[in-house]
Amino acid sequence: MQPDLPPRSRGVIALFEENCTVCMLCARECPDWCIYIDSHKETLPAEGGGRARTRNVLDRFAIDFALCMYCGICIEACPFDALFWSPEFEYAEYDIAELTHEKDRLREWMWTVPPPQAHDPSGEPPKEVTTAEKAAARARPSRGEQK
């Protein structure tokens, strides 16, 4: 039987590979150096007369959970929401070398990540929303200026 875990419990780190841009911030910020990332550059052909673009393609993303101290700095450092806490905690192995989990296994845990908690209806709206609303109000002409 699965125990009732607190909503923000830290189990294992899950990877949403589509959001990873291989910026390496998670690996650089990790105090334990337990994140391993390999990538290569791929050139995309130009569309519509533009120039060719290059992008990073993720080849390997692995986390060594034998070294990880579950601090969550990698999740906080990721600017593209590619890393998440999963409540899964049963991933023990007989061999310590098996605790290095590759991107395929990290992706499996993505489907166990709970949805974010609802926003507090009595809280302040995000600053981006209020700034956009103010800009839209300034862009709209007032009633007296309309023709």
Side-chain angles (χ1 to χ4, degrees), residues 50-101:
R51 65 175 190 175
R53 305 279 182 181
T54 61
R55 70 178 182 121
N56 288 327
V57 177
L58 185 65
D59 294 327
R60 179 181 188 222
F61 191 104
I63 299 176
D64 187 350
F65 286 106
L67 297 175
C68 182
M69 64 180 180
Y70 304 91
C71 65
I73 293 174
C74 58
I75 295 170
E76 295 297 321
C78 181
F80 301 103
D81 291 332
L83 298 173
F84 296 89
W85 282 117
S86 168
E88 294 294 315
F89 59 89
E90 295 177 353
Y91 52 95
E93 301 289 345
Y94 288 107
D95 185 8
I96 197 167
E98 299 292 320
L99 285 173
T100 300
H101 297 162

Side-chain angles (χ1 to χ4, degrees), residues 11-17 61 63 65 74-75 78 81-88 101-114:
V12 70
I13 298 169
L15 171 69
F16 191 55
E17 190 176 340
F61 191 104
I63 299 176
F65 286 106
C74 58
I75 295 170
C78 181
D81 291 332
L83 298 173
F84 296 89
W85 282 117
S86 168
E88 294 294 315
H101 297 162
E102 299 292 332
K103 66 181 178 179
D104 297 334
R105 186 147 184 210
L106 297 174
R107 184 178 201 10
E108 289 174 14
W109 283 313
M110 190 62 217
W111 313 122
T112 64
V113 173

Side-chain angles (χ1 to χ4, degrees), residues 29-51:
E29 295 295 323
C30 179
D32 290 332
W33 293 89
C34 65
I35 299 175
Y36 312 110
I37 301 174
D38 291 327
S39 68
H40 70 276
K41 290 201 181 286
E42 186 176 88
T43 302
L44 301 173
E47 292 182 18
R51 65 175 190 175

Side-chain angles (χ1 to χ4, degrees), residues 119-120 123-133:
H119 293 290
D120 183 4
E124 293 181 18
K127 291 178 184 171
E128 296 85 359
V129 172
T130 55
T131 304
E133 288 172 349

